[in-house]
Amino acid sequence: MSLLEVKDLKVHFPVRQGLFSRVKGYVRAVDGVSFSIEPGETLGLVGESGCGKTTLGRAVIRLIEPTAGSVVLEGADLRKLRGEALRQKRRTFQMIFQDPVSSLNPRMTVGQIVGEALEIHNLAPDAAARRERVGELLKSVGLDPLHAQRYPHEFSGGQRQRIGIARALAVRPKLIVCDEPISALDVSVQAQIINLLGDLQQQEGVAYLFIAHDLAVVEHISRRVMVMYLGKVVEMGESRSLCRDPKHPYTKALISAVPVVDPKSKRQRMLLPGDVPSPINPPSGCPFHPRCPVAEARCKTEVPELREVTPGRWAACHLAQ
Amino acid sequence: MPPLLEIQDLKLEFGTGSEALRALDGVSLVLEEGQTLCLVGESGCGKSVTALSIAQLLPTPPARYVGGRILVNGHNVLEMDKGSLRRIRGGTVGYIFQEPGASLNPVYRVGEQLIEPLRLHRPAAATEKEMVELLKLVGIPEPELRLRDYPHQLSGGMQQRVMIAMALAAQPKLLIADEPTTALDVTIQAQILELLRDLKHRLGMSILLITHNLGIVGDIADRVAVMYAGQVVEEAPADQLLRRPMHPYTRALMRSVPELGREMGRLEAIAGTVPAVGAFPSGCRFHPRCPVVQPDCSQKAPALIEAEPACHVRCPHWK
């Protein structure tokens, strides 16, 4: 059984205008996304800014209320849970945020930050046990247990991200949504955090929904990857084969846009014209057709379904094969 | 003929007396006409400060030039009077920055901002026709209409194109681009890099591009200088440096970044963190994090030596 099963998830934000704040339209931030995550697996989620990847990550764990669809975690539909039942369930999933500065309360010590969830969920019988568990957690992310008495500003960016990871691990979650956990870090520190997330996955068996815009990092850390464009999944598949042989023209462009270190590589560069269109007024038919280099007449009118192009590879393109 | 830009042993401090923080400690660079030099490094290594120094854009105080020279076309910028500096700033040397949204004035239309560098540096060309030409040059569609837009009406990529148009208005010899694509999406980043490459060929200018992304170096650079803790640690032709890095820091940096389509297994992370200005380690500044550190590394500060023709490295153990 899958750990997480998301079906046809939609998050639409109303756009209000005028004197009586009438709803003038909807931002279709996430528009019918389905996927599943197995226990202990990493699913990468890539896309450019505004494609809805962060909204999707938050909607999955109900930090944003989804408009429609279902999110089934270990057999329970999170959208149907209320009150105490939901709070109990929240122990099974956690989140790591992009900005390690703004996601840690500057007025709490590291011990309080990491220990807060233990207290809320009654996971430690007394203060001494809690202290011990906080020390354990700090050690597991490569910090000193003595750091529990310090405040977030006393740490570097990479160390703060480690604190955020320790906080997420405190309740022994089954799923962690990592929203661009390394984008705000220095290049030489990014690898430390990537390795740490990998080690912790092996030890704790936790599954990640890993959101990032850097395809190389996602390819490295994930078993499967999902590519989003304007609120929709355009391609999904096993990460290595997807990066080597993309089927959707958007994925192809995304991969060819990543600058490569080797100056001798004579790669075919595929430049996309224009910008990502507004999700309030997405193009008709295939949302990618105005920028697509191989678009045909039907792409303007028919919305392509996500279909299995080759075994294990799904793409939402009429022409993919 | 002197090179277009030559920085010799530049030393810069912030603050005074015993609290002075030395941000740059003996930075030397050469950029020939028509070339692209990439300045690579992590936050706090001094790459932006170096770039801002070239047109004297750092307020003094708190900044203080303690030593060295910055020669633009053979003239020392550090000894120039205000009039000559004004001709350098936005004239001979044009700048674009990381956040185009923050660099453009939100309350003025694009046209009102674009005319400014023209009025200052090429008064005869301060016309709407020239502005339209400039916007066309950087690939902005419907330039006549865009001149009447406010910056917030443009996307990030278009804003950066406007910034490039403003920098090009005075027909600079040298374009300094400080992380010009860091705030942009990859597909837009590819557009901007393509534009810079194209402009360099068409206008024959030199580019000093600051980045932390080694992929961008491979994409665009002729030469590379890698900075760490206020010093240049390696400087070489781009393809040579990327194929065979010599300094342990460059090597470690290249191994720690995952590359698309390459099986890497576990990443080789660099231990520790980037040292802060004012807390640079003694001896070789990379020694606490260096994977091949020797006993003498913490004692003796290594000099930048010519390891191979046109390849400089600040490490005596590079072999």
Side-chain angles (χ1 to χ4, degrees):
Chain A
M1 196 180 76
S2 299
L3 173 71
L4 176 76
E5 193 83 50
V6 175
K7 279 226 177 68
D8 206 24
L9 191 71
K10 289 181 182 165
V11 185
H12 294 180
F13 298 110
V15 180
R16 295 173 196 278
Q17 260 175 3
L19 183 61
F20 299 106
S21 302
R22 261 195 303 244
V23 175
K24 282 283 160 79
Y26 288 93
V27 176
R28 296 185 167 79
V30 177
D31 205 17
V33 170
S34 305
F35 64 92
S36 64
I37 298 181
E38 305 299 316
E41 182 196 36
T42 301
L43 175 67
L45 174 54
V46 281
E48 298 181 274
S49 47
C51 74
K53 54 189 194 298
T54 294
T55 307
L56 175 62
R58 294 186 174 209
V60 164
I61 57 176
R62 273 188 72 179
L63 290 181
I64 295 175
E65 219 45 67
T67 314
S70 69
V71 180
V72 179
L73 185 72
E74 291 189 305
D77 189 343
L78 293 185
R79 286 199 62 213
K80 299 212 174 89
L81 294 179
R82 295 280 178 276
E84 185 56 31
L86 177 63
R87 194 160 30 249
Q88 286 296 325
K89 199 73 190 168
R90 281 199 185 278
R91 245 167 70 180
T92 45
F93 49 85
Q94 286 291 311
M95 181 145 184
I96 299 170
F97 298 90
Q98 170 171 6
D99 184 355
V101 181
S102 63
S103 60
L104 300 177
N105 189 336
R107 296 165 61 150
M108 284 165 77
T109 64
V110 169
Q112 288 168 331
I113 289 170
V114 176
E116 194 181 20
L118 298 175
E119 201 170 342
I120 289 170
H121 290 292
N122 277 324
L123 294 178
D126 52 43
R130 192 159 67 229
R131 251 198 316 277
E132 193 177 326
R133 173 83 176 120
V134 167
E136 246 171 59
L137 284 162
L138 289 178
K139 225 190 265 172
S140 71
V141 296
L143 294 173
D144 195 310
L146 291 173
H147 287 155
Q149 284 144 41
R150 296 200 196 161
Y151 286 90
H153 75 262
E154 298 175 68
F155 295 89
S156 70
Q159 287 175 315
R160 279 183 232 184
Q161 199 54 290
R162 288 172 192 267
I163 297 168
I165 294 170
R167 172 177 62 183
L169 288 173
V171 294
R172 298 185 201 278
K174 301 270 173 53
L175 170 72
I176 298 182
V177 175
C178 311
D179 189 1
E180 303 252 12
I182 58 161
S183 320
L185 303 177
D186 266 317
V187 190
S188 69
V189 180
Q190 289 185 354
Q192 295 174 6
I193 299 297
I194 293 174
N195 285 342
L196 175 65
L197 287 171
D199 294 347
L200 291 171
Q201 182 165 54
Q202 298 219 315
Q203 288 161 25
E204 313 268 329
V206 57
Y208 296 133
L209 175 60
F210 191 91
I211 304 171
H213 64 269
D214 187 337
L215 254 173
V217 169
V218 169
E219 185 205 13
H220 178 81
I221 202 167
S222 319
R223 193 171 73 83
R224 288 184 304 137
V225 179
M226 189 155 79
V227 183
M228 272 182 89
Y229 186 76
L230 275 185
K232 287 190 158 69
V233 173
V234 295
E235 187 161 359
M236 181 155 54
E238 195 266 321
S239 71
R240 232 160 276 283
S241 91
L242 184 140
C243 288
R244 217 162 277 166
D245 177 28
K247 301 288 186 196
H248 195 284
Y250 177 64
T251 320
K252 285 182 190 167
L254 208 57
I255 288 172
S256 86
V258 177
V260 286
V261 172
D262 183 7
K264 289 281 179 295
S265 90
K266 292 278 177 278
R267 261 180 339 152
Q268 191 66 33
R269 202 187 306 274
M270 184 174 146
L271 277 187
L272 283 183
D275 292 301
V276 182
S278 150
I280 300 179
N281 226 335
S284 64
C286 171
F288 185 58
H289 85 259
R291 302 175 77 193
C292 183
V294 294
E296 296 179 347
R298 62 171 162 167
C299 299
K300 289 198 178 84
T301 50
E302 291 170 43
V303 180
E305 292 297 318
L306 194 65
R307 62 190 169 89
E308 196 160 12
V309 183
T310 55
R313 178 74 69 81
W314 300 70
C317 177
H318 296 304
L319 304 164
Q321 45 188 284
Chain B
M1 211 175 82
L4 177 64
L5 170 72
E6 187 170 8
I7 300 178
Q8 295 172 343
D9 201 27
L10 186 66
K11 294 192 175 94
L12 177 130
E13 286 181 353
F14 288 103
T16 49
S18 58
E19 284 175 15
L21 301 173
R22 174 131 337 166
L24 298 181
D25 202 5
V27 170
S28 299
L29 292 173
V30 178
L31 176 55
E32 302 283 349
E33 212 154 311
Q35 281 208 329
T36 302
L37 171 68
C38 271
L39 206 50
V40 181
E42 299 179 89
S43 49
C45 72
K47 56 192 194 300
S48 289
V49 172
T50 306
L52 291 172
S53 298
I54 294 167
Q56 291 287 288
L57 292 182
L58 287 172
T60 45
R64 204 158 53 89
Y65 292 94
V66 195
R69 302 198 300 167
I70 302 173
L71 305 173
V72 175
N73 277 329
H75 302 291
N76 189 357
V77 177
L78 296 179
E79 287 165 0
M80 272 181 194
D81 57 49
K82 281 206 170 129
S84 319
L85 268 181
R86 216 172 298 142
R87 278 192 291 280
I88 295 267
R89 290 175 179 155
T92 319
V93 181
Y95 279 91
I96 51 177
F97 298 99
Q98 178 173 349
E99 283 272 355
S103 304
L104 290 165
N105 190 328
V107 300
Y108 288 104
R109 294 174 199 273
V110 167
E112 292 166 322
Q113 304 191 46
L114 189 50
I115 197 112
E116 254 182 65
L118 286 171
R119 281 203 190 115
L120 266 171
H121 298 286
R122 289 163 62 210
T127 58
E128 177 147 346
K129 189 166 155 280
E130 179 66 23
M131 290 199 285
V132 169
E133 282 305 312
L134 280 167
L135 291 188
K136 262 191 211 155
L137 184 69
V138 296
I140 292 183
E142 303 180 283
E144 293 87 356
L145 297 177
R146 296 291 84 78
L147 283 177
R148 273 150 205 73
D149 279 350
Y150 287 98
H152 76 267
Q153 293 171 289
L154 306 173
S155 66
M158 284 299 146
Q159 288 177 347
Q160 194 59 289
R161 285 173 194 265
V162 169
M163 286 304 297
I164 296 174
M166 286 174 71
L168 295 179
Q171 301 175 327
K173 286 261 187 299
L174 169 62
L175 182 68
I176 298 178
D178 190 350
E179 304 250 14
T181 60
T182 308
L184 305 175
D185 280 316
V186 271
T187 59
I188 309 299
Q189 164 172 296
Q191 291 175 3
I192 297 291
L193 289 177
E194 186 64 42
L195 173 67
L196 288 177
R197 220 184 341 251
D198 177 51
L199 288 172
K200 189 189 111 177
H201 284 301
R202 269 201 283 170
L203 308 178
M205 54 179 188
S206 308
I207 297 179
L208 176 67
L209 191 129
I210 297 174
T211 180
H212 62 264
N213 185 334
L214 288 163
I216 292 178
V217 177
D219 227 40
I220 201 168
D222 298 312
R223 289 188 74 83
V224 198
V226 181
M227 287 187 72
Y228 188 79
Q231 294 178 326
V232 174
V233 293
E234 183 165 359
E235 199 263 342
D239 52 340
Q240 203 155 340
L241 182 133
L242 293 174
R243 255 186 298 127
R244 217 160 51 83
M246 291 187 287
H247 197 280
Y249 173 63
T250 320
R251 283 185 198 164
L253 204 57
M254 288 182 70
R255 274 200 301 263
S256 72
V257 184
E259 214 185 316
L260 204 59
R262 217 176 81 196
E263 204 103 15
M264 291 188 81
R266 195 181 160 81
L267 296 179
E268 293 179 43
I270 307 177
T273 51
V274 182
V277 181
F280 293 151
S282 65
C284 170
R285 292 175 182 186
F286 186 57
H287 86 262
R289 306 176 74 193
C290 184
V292 293
V293 62
Q294 306 289 322
D296 61 333
C297 290
S298 58
Q299 314 293 325
K300 226 172 95 216
L304 198 64
I305 49 168
E306 185 159 19
E308 281 168 23
C311 297
H312 299 85
V313 60
R314 194 183 287 276
C315 177
H317 310 290
W318 63 273
K319 277 176 186 149

